Amino acid sequence: MAVNKELLNNSITKAITILNCFSYENPRLRLKDISAITGINQPTAYRLLNTLKEFNLIEQHEVSYSLGRGFLKYEGIVLNSMEIRRICLPYLEELSNNLKLNVNLAVLDDNEVIYVARAETPYCTYGYFHIGMRRPIYCTALGKVLVCKTPEVVSEVFKRDVNRYTLNTITDADTFLKEIEKVSLQGYAVDLEEWNNGINCIAAPLYDATGKIIAGISISGPTSMYSVEKLMEYVPILIDYANRLSARMGSRGGW
């Protein structure tokens, strides 16, 4: 039986569109919600959801749907395929052990910060974290270093609605552009309770051989233990590790 490739490709596109409509904010959706978000009519969406259920990529909960457990087996495969994660992990663990702080590695994905590795210490436990977690660029130190050379990304982000997570969250595009200009000049960024009350963070960029920022590393801790002054003492150490990792990525510095 011949397969209509155009029809198959169209179905795959629609199935991916359905999968992409789920998010941390909306982990469960009803059929009518999925249809409204994707623009796919309900009968077609229902048929595709049932097909995805057969492969455990979708789970049904009475009247709602969520992403299925079938995706979990891919997480380790994706993480193991990331060369930058493999190279950086020993450095993250060494830095975490030396400073008794949590150390994060993140990249830019779809104009958001996505965390791809973390080294944790029992001396600094706070909050909830998981690999693959996403955060906005405009209220995180990692976001600031990841876009400090690409203001066009900032302009795109601020075309959408931005949320004020704390009193310190930057919600004005011009203010943020001035902030990342400073980050670009000084070589590091700070997040002083901009994403989360009670958490301070500093971050530095990682460069590849072309001078492009490909990732960022950060250290963070609760304000009760790490005041602004205390955290700033670690800036030279963080930049040193960022430079060492950039060198591993082929950077010759001088950017």
Side-chain angles (χ1 to χ4, degrees):
M1 180 179 176
V3 177
N4 186 321
K5 291 185 178 180
E6 184 176 347
L7 181 61
L8 178 62
N9 289 339
N10 190 39
S11 296
I12 292 172
T13 299
K14 288 180 178 179
I16 292 172
T17 302
I18 287 174
L19 294 173
N20 284 339
C21 74
F22 295 93
S23 65
Y24 288 113
E25 292 76 20
N26 297 295
R28 290 194 181 192
L29 295 167
R30 295 172 298 176
L31 177 61
K32 67 177 184 179
D33 299 323
I34 294 170
S35 178
I37 293 170
T38 62
I40 300 170
N41 64 62
Q42 290 193 34
T44 301
Y46 180 76
R47 175 176 58 81
L48 290 169
L49 286 164
N50 280 336
T51 300
L52 291 167
K53 277 170 57 181
E54 293 180 15
F55 294 93
N56 294 320
L57 298 178
I58 284 289
E59 291 184 9
Q60 187 170 4
H61 315 272
E62 296 183 354
V63 297
S64 67
Y65 296 87
S66 70
L67 295 181
R69 286 169 286 182
F71 280 106
L72 295 177
K73 71 177 183 179
Y74 299 115
E75 180 182 18
I77 298 171
V78 172
L79 292 174
N80 285 339
S81 70
M82 296 183 69
E83 184 183 21
I84 191 169
R85 185 176 185 272
R86 177 181 57 79
I87 291 173
C88 290
L89 262 176
Y91 290 85
L92 302 186
E93 291 168 355
E94 180 180 281
L95 183 57
S96 178
N97 289 333
N98 289 344
L99 299 184
K100 303 296 189 291
L101 280 165
N102 297 329
V103 183
N104 306 299
L105 173 71
V107 297
L108 192 66
D109 183 70
D110 195 25
N111 294 346
E112 290 183 307
V113 177
I114 180 168
Y115 292 79
V116 296
R118 179 175 171 100
E120 293 188 329
T121 172
Y123 300 97
C124 189
T125 57
Y126 62 90
Y128 169 70
F129 179 89
H130 66 271
I131 300 299
M133 185 172 69
R134 292 175 178 268
R135 291 290 181 261
I137 65 165
Y138 58 87
C139 58
T140 56
L142 281 164
K144 293 174 186 178
V145 298
L146 288 170
V147 300
C148 70
K149 305 286 188 181
T150 51
E152 64 275 10
V153 172
V154 175
S155 300
E156 187 64 32
V157 168
F158 276 87
K159 286 179 183 177
R160 313 169 194 169
D161 291 334
V162 295
N163 298 316
R164 181 175 292 281
Y165 296 100
T166 73
L167 291 176
N168 295 335
T169 302
I170 299 173
T171 57
D172 176 71
D174 290 336
T175 302
F176 190 78
L177 285 168
K178 291 178 183 176
E179 176 77 3
I180 64 166
E181 184 179 357
K182 182 172 70 174
V183 169
S184 180
L185 291 171
Q186 67 190 14
Y188 69 92
V190 298
D191 157 16
L192 305 178
E193 298 187 87
E194 294 171 42
W195 161 251
N196 227 333
N197 285 313
I199 302 295
N200 285 333
C201 179
I202 56 174
L206 307 185
Y207 294 87
D208 67 8
T210 68
K212 179 183 176 182
I213 295 173
I214 53 172
I217 59 170
S218 72
I219 55 177
S220 56
T223 55
S224 58
M225 296 173 61
Y226 299 95
S227 64
V228 176
E229 295 76 17
K230 181 65 176 176
L231 207 58
M232 294 302 287
E233 292 177 8
Y234 299 135
V235 167
I237 302 171
L238 181 66
I239 291 176
D240 176 61
Y241 271 81
N243 289 340
R244 289 163 60 187
L245 283 168
S246 294
R248 288 292 309 275
M249 302 298 167
S251 171
R252 291 169 293 175
W255 308 111

